[in-house]
Amino acid sequence: MIKSSGLRNDSASGPKRRLRRTGVPKAVIIVGAGQGGLVASIYARLRGHQVLILDPTPGGKAAPIQEGDYRLDPGPSIIILTELYDRVFRDAGRKREDYLTFQRLRPLSRVCFEGSEPLDLPDDRKQAEQLVAGLDAADGKNFAELMSKLDEVAPAVEKSVFARPYDRIWQLIDPQLMKVGARFNVRQTYREMVDGWFRTPLLRAFFYGFPSYGGQSYRSKAPGALLIPYYMLQNGVWYPEGGISAIPQAFRRLAEELGVEFRAEKVTEVEKEGSRITAVRTNLGARYEAESFISNLDRLTFGEMVGRSANMEPSYSYFTVHWGVRKPLPQVEHHTLLVPKSFEQGFESLYDTRTFASEPIVYLNNTSMTDPTVAPKGKTNLFAVVTSPAMEDHLDWPANQERLADNLEAQLRTFGIDVAETDFRRIQTPVYFQQQHGNHRGSLYGPDEKHRILGGLFPLSNRDDEFKNLFYCGGSVQPGAGLPMVTLGGRFAAEML
Ligand SMILES: Cc1cc2nc3c(=O)[nH]c(=O)nc-3n(C[C@H](O)[C@H](O)[C@H](O)COP(=O)(O)OP(=O)(O)OC[C@H]3O[C@@H](n4cnc5c(N)ncnc54)[C@H](O)[C@@H]3O)c2cc1C
């Protein structure tokens, strides 16, 4: 039993619950209420377990930050694959629309290539294919062919990687996985594939970044990364009513309705006995025992708490700046990508030398274009995100962060975006992600890909090798990072209980 006072009784109260309770109900503690932990708590509860979730700041990277009259989304901003959220509510016998509503964003994104007129990417696949063909006929043909190829790959990925975790060698004998492999040249790196298809710098710059969202580089075998732009075009890009934080708030509401208990406490110690975790202790001096544990913390960080060395290089992270700009910025769309002419050097810095590019590709998020509640009238809530190395030994983030933010402002000026007059400037570096969310060396995607499992094909496993009652969800484990993937990972971990 979870030893704590005031736990609700064990009757999960969801109407029309569809999932069968399996096995013996257990007392389960979930450490961390990021998106992965929230979803794990819902599925654990639907399976009849008694669930306590511990987190001093629930919502994780999707929790809002108030800065004066501005409401900031400090983490995720590009919302895709909302059908994966729908499934969680459906499995609980609910309708997602009763908890969370989305507005489709049009255009998908604005792309500003230095020296060229801005391009607005339509959210319609045919129109997007025409737009690419207008840039270059051969690229247009290859783009349309790539999309058709991905039409075949996506269902196979959904039936395999999205459906279950892979951590046993025999699981690789999977017809769906083989179908994915058969559609690509397995000897080619991601970059070789992209360079083979596209010759316009704009297309190459657009595609080169996607492997980093899985903690990989364009020198990896990373065809799965192509599904990110595919799903953006195919299924749309969305904005939740109430801002990004409406997502974790909706999942927390559902979890509470089902009877999950939340406590705003930070886990500071983990107790173990033989091959089992037995209890956790928190910053408030409490001690909680349970039969099973799910960590929504980075797997390596939690590993340190059970006495393991986390001696693995990190993958990638982000450097971000928020500005409260004292004027409207209509030239910046809800999603805007600024691509410098020197983008190739930027990717070499990121992927090859793990340094911060002097002129990186900058993603800008201007929610003021869509949502009047995020900034005072006539002002702009502007958020810049640059994919960056994590806390590498050769980088001193605290000493350099102000200079990097100044450089970013100078870069924005070359694109005609002036952020000189602001109400505030707020910086996040990998150090912040380590301190605030427990990410190993500030990396958002787990360790460097050389530490991936099953021949490098998959991120770390959702189950612990040493402790039989310990499981993981979140960005450092399968199926990967990003809100849609950690939603799946939360279900994977709960199903392993
Ligand atoms: C700048 C940025 C931009 C991003 N952009 C996108 C995007 O556009 N689209 C997208 O889908 N994804 C994006 N992501 C990635 C996405 O935010 C993450 O992959 C996802 O939110 C991670 O969820 P998680 O379940 O791993 O938990 P996290 O959000 O990492 O939450 C972990 C939780 O654990 C808690 N915790 C930490 N230590 C303890 C402890 N000792 N005891 C108890 N609790 C603890 C923390 O308080 C936190 O709530 C972005 C991330 C960042 C940072």
Side-chain angles (χ1 to χ4, degrees):
M1 281 299 296
I2 301 173
K3 278 199 190 152
S4 80
S5 57
L7 274 188
R8 302 201 182 130
N9 73 30
D10 198 19
S11 57
S13 58
K16 289 189 273 164
R17 278 182 299 106
R18 290 193 190 152
L19 292 196
R20 270 183 306 119
R21 289 172 180 237
T22 51
V24 182
K26 295 188 178 93
V28 178
I29 286 177
I30 300 181
V31 183
Q35 178 71 8
L38 289 169
V39 172
S41 77
I42 290 166
Y43 279 101
R45 191 71 192 117
L46 289 174
R47 298 186 143 236
H49 303 303
Q50 185 189 16
V51 186
L52 170 67
I53 188 161
L54 299 166
D55 191 331
T57 51
K61 296 182 179 68
I65 287 183
Q66 198 67 32
E67 186 83 44
D69 293 331
Y70 297 78
R71 192 188 70 230
L72 314 182
D73 289 323
S77 55
I78 301 175
I79 301 305
I80 62 170
L81 283 171
T82 53
E83 51 275 27
L84 297 184
Y85 305 145
D86 299 357
R87 176 177 171 181
V88 181
F89 287 93
R90 239 188 358 260
D91 284 344
R94 275 36 175 209
K95 282 197 199 119
R96 190 261 300 152
E97 308 83 274
D98 294 338
Y99 293 75
L100 181 62
T101 51
F102 291 105
Q103 146 184 18
R104 191 164 182 158
L105 293 179
R106 299 189 163 93
L108 272 191
S109 177
R110 177 164 291 170
V111 181
C112 304
F113 194 85
E114 191 181 353
S116 308
E117 284 299 305
L119 277 178
D120 282 349
L121 294 184
D123 77 331
D124 174 272
R125 175 170 164 178
K126 279 282 154 263
Q127 286 175 20
E129 287 175 5
Q130 282 162 9
L131 183 135
V132 176
L135 295 174
D136 181 284
D139 280 13
K141 182 170 163 289
N142 287 341
F143 181 69
E145 276 175 21
L146 173 62
M147 290 298 285
S148 303
K149 190 192 286 232
L150 293 170
D151 283 336
E152 293 169 39
V153 168
V157 169
E158 286 157 21
K159 286 183 202 142
S160 55
V161 181
F162 286 14
R164 70 190 68 85
Y166 288 79
D167 56 2
R168 304 282 188 262
I169 194 83
W170 53 263
Q171 289 177 301
L172 296 180
I173 312 164
D174 177 335
Q176 300 297 339
L177 279 185
M178 289 175 191
K179 216 183 263 183
V180 177
R183 299 301 294 144
F184 296 97
N185 178 345
V186 289
R187 278 186 294 277
Q188 272 189 326
T189 64
Y190 179 89
R191 181 173 175 164
E192 284 162 351
M193 287 193 300
V194 170
D195 288 351
W197 294 321
F198 306 123
R199 56 187 184 190
T200 36
L202 182 74
L203 265 277
R204 285 192 280 121
F206 181 73
F207 275 94
Y208 280 173
F210 291 109
S212 70
Y213 305 139
Q216 294 181 283
S217 104
Y218 62 14
R219 305 214 184 272
S220 315
K221 311 268 182 345
L226 295 164
L227 285 171
I228 302 172
Y230 172 80
Y231 282 122
M232 286 169 78
L233 265 179
Q234 191 65 20
N235 302 17
V237 174
W238 305 83
Y239 180 72
E241 193 180 322
I244 300 295
S245 56
I247 299 175
Q249 278 157 11
F251 282 92
R252 177 172 179 163
R253 190 182 129 204
L254 173 60
E256 285 181 326
E257 284 174 8
L258 294 172
V260 172
E261 185 178 0
F262 286 75
R263 294 202 174 189
E265 295 177 45
K266 181 173 178 155
V267 170
T268 49
E269 260 179 73
V270 179
E271 294 180 14
K272 56 193 180 175
E273 215 176 279
S275 62
R276 302 187 73 77
I277 302 295
T278 50
V280 292
R281 288 181 185 272
T282 72
N283 60 330
L284 300 188
R287 179 177 180 278
Y288 298 102
E289 289 177 7
E291 289 153 287
S292 293
F293 295 80
I294 295 178
S295 168
N296 183 209
L297 288 198
D298 189 294
R299 192 179 153 125
L300 298 181
T301 306
F302 198 85
E304 283 184 311
M305 291 175 112
V306 297
R308 273 181 212 141
S309 148
N311 191 18
M312 289 188 195
E313 296 88 332
S315 56
Y316 299 102
S317 186
Y318 289 118
F319 174 75
T320 79
V321 185
H322 286 90
W323 296 272
V325 186
R326 291 199 198 128
K327 62 178 182 183
L329 291 174
Q331 70 273 45
V332 184
E333 255 300 339
H334 189 114
H335 299 303
T336 297
L337 204 60
L338 306 181
V339 185
K341 278 187 184 144
S342 63
F343 73 91
E344 306 242 9
Q345 281 163 22
F347 281 110
E348 280 159 22
S349 300
L350 176 69
Y351 289 141
D352 293 342
T353 58
R354 303 256 172 141
T355 48
F356 197 87
S358 53
E359 282 187 312
I361 288 191
V362 182
Y363 159 74
L364 289 178
N365 180 226
N366 179 4
T367 44
S368 310
M369 289 297 279
T370 314
D371 185 344
T373 67
V374 296
K377 202 166 186 304
K379 298 187 175 183
T380 300
N381 181 344
L382 188 68
F383 180 33
V385 180
V386 178
T387 307
S388 77
M391 292 166 67
E392 301 281 347
D393 290 341
H394 56 273
L395 297 176
D396 184 345
W397 284 104
N400 286 295
Q401 62 179 47
E402 296 296 334
R403 180 184 61 79
L404 293 174
D406 291 344
N407 289 353
L408 212 55
E409 290 182 9
Q411 199 179 336
L412 261 53
R413 275 195 296 279
T414 65
F415 285 88
I417 302 160
D418 174 18
V419 292
E421 287 189 31
T422 55
D423 287 329
F424 67 90
R425 174 167 102 169
R426 178 180 180 275
I427 300 173
Q428 297 176 141
T429 72
V431 177
Y432 173 85
F433 299 124
Q434 183 192 46
Q435 288 169 353
Q436 184 67 24
H437 304 296
N439 289 102
H440 167 69
R441 293 172 69 174
S443 160
L444 300 183
Y445 311 98
D448 181 77
E449 69 166 332
K450 67 173 163 238
H451 305 293
R452 287 164 75 98
I453 62 169
L454 297 179
L457 284 175
F458 290 93
L460 297 180
S461 170
N462 307 77
R463 80 174 87 230
D464 197 80
D465 316 313
E466 183 183 358
F467 299 104
K468 305 292 173 237
N469 62 342
L470 173 59
F471 308 93
Y472 300 94
C473 59
S476 67
V477 293
Q478 288 184 38
L483 287 176
M485 293 303 103
V486 300
T487 298
L488 294 174
R491 176 163 59 80
F492 291 175
E495 284 174 355
M496 287 176 161
L497 284 168

